[in-house]
């Protein structure tokens, strides 16, 4: 039994319309599902991904308009990296981001791959990484994206976790979750251990960054990451993972039906909220694949409340892009 890599990353936005404009119009991802947060139906839950929302390509957002700006700290995801193909693409992306008023850092090397750091309009730390063609099977950029497919985002490359100390998290991720050490080095005077799982490489990596200088568990707010999810191939494996985590004393939740996948959640010892999600059934379970994300989707148990839910949502000011440049 092995995790298949990263399933999705979920972050927080206080500006849903601006969020759609940036992730579809600038980054060129497809809004594959527009639904609500099942635990707070007054807020959108927006899913951006590749052409059909393959697991491993999803960046999702809780729309919490009241959220204060994120305050980084230890015990949180500190950066999310997207994978693209080819180092040349990073130069193109730096120019595109600048054209849209988004500043980026210098391209640098990390573990043999070129990395372009930047932030989204709410200050979330993001990276574009040349995945060198390796790693887990990449996604396929949407053909109607404003970004041509050859430079399009192919999924999540990896995440970085800021931790007060690496030991307890290393122990759980290697002994319980089946991760392997892929690299260890010092970056900006901080110890970094890169772990990989499943097929290894881009799409499966988690970088643990030792940051005893940071306060623990600062506020997750707009521009911050709420949790990172890992892939279970089917419901049988998912159930087995829950049993394994429970036996390890990790305080895992019951299985929760998110309709598009099944989820369990637990907090690793360093404080980061982890989720394990099934690959299926996927986003086409309630919408035609050609029209994903164009309308508000609700799971069956919320459909009887559609009228009141829609009345409580702030209309998105930015229409879903359908190939606009």
């Amino acid at each position: 039994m092995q995790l298949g890599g990263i399933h999705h990353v979920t972050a927080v936005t206080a500006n849903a319309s601006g969020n759609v404009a940036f992730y579809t119009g600038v980054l060129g991802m497809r809004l594959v599902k527009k639904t609500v947060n099942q635990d707070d139906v007054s807020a959108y839950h927006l899913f951006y991904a590749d052409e059909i929302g393959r697991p491993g390509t999803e960046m999702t957002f809780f729309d919490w308009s009241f959220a204060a700006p994120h305050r980084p700290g230890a015990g949180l995801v500190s950066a999310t990296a997207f994978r693209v193909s080819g180092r040349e693409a990073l130069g193109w992306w730096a120019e595109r981001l600048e054209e849209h008023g988004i500043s980026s850092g210098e391209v640098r090397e990390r573990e043999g791959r070129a990395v372009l750091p930047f932030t989204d309009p709410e200050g979330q730390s993001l990276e574009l990484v040349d995945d060198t063609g390796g790693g887990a099977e990449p996604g396929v950029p949407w053909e109607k994206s404003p970004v041509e497919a050859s430079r399009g985002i192919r999924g999540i490359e990896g995440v970085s976790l800021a931790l007060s100390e690496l030991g307890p998290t290393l122990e759980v991720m290697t002994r319980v979750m089946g991760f392997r050490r892929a690299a260890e080095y010092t970056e900006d005077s901080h110890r970094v251990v890169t772990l990989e799982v499943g097929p290894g490489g881009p799409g499966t990596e988690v970088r643990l960054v030792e940051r005893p200088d940071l306060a623990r568990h600062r506020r997750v707010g707009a521009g911050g990451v709420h949790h990172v999810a890992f892939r279970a191939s089917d419901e049988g494996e998912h159930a087995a993972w829950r049993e394994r985590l429970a036996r390890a004393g990790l305080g895992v939740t019951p299985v929760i039906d998110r309709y598009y996948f099944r989820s369990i959640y637990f907090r690793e010892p360093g404080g980061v909220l982890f989720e394990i999600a099934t690959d299926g059934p996927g986003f086409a379970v309630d919408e035609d694949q050609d029209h994903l994300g164009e309308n508000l989707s609700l799971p069956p148990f919320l459909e009887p409340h559609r009228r009141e839910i829609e009345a409580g949502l702030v209309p998105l000011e930015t229409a879903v892009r359908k190939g606009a440049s």
Side-chain angles (χ1 to χ4, degrees), residues 168-238:
T169 301
L170 265 173
E171 173 73 5
V172 164
M173 294 189 70
T174 56
R175 184 178 60 82
V176 181
M177 299 178 67
F179 278 80
R180 311 177 297 273
R181 283 178 183 253
E184 181 164 353
Y185 53 95
T186 299
E187 184 177 72
D188 300 329
S189 302
H190 304 299
R191 179 189 176 204
V192 180
V193 174
T194 297
L195 302 177
E196 63 181 10
V197 74
T204 78
E205 293 183 340
V206 177
R207 286 173 282 278
L208 310 183
V209 184
E210 196 160 58
R211 294 297 306 269
D213 55 310
L214 294 178
R216 186 175 168 85
H217 294 174
R218 300 309 291 268
R219 180 178 61 218
V220 176
V225 170
H226 188 269
H227 65 266
V228 55
F230 303 100
R231 299 175 59 180
S233 60
D234 55 39
E235 292 188 33
E237 275 207 1
H238 195 243

Side-chain angles (χ1 to χ4, degrees), residues 13 15-30 48 59 61 82 93 96-98 100-103 118-126 128 145-147 153 318-319 321:
T13 179
N15 179 2
S17 294
N19 189 263
V20 173
F22 180 74
Y23 282 86
T24 63
V26 178
L27 294 190
M29 302 177 78
R30 184 181 187 187
Y48 307 98
M59 184 80 197
F61 283 86
F82 296 113
W93 271 105
R96 178 173 178 80
L97 292 171
E98 184 176 0
H100 289 272
I102 303 294
S103 60
F118 66 104
T119 58
D120 78 2
E122 291 180 282
Q124 183 177 175
S125 294
L126 302 172
L128 289 162
S145 167
V147 175
I153 289 175
T318 302
R321 292 186 175 233

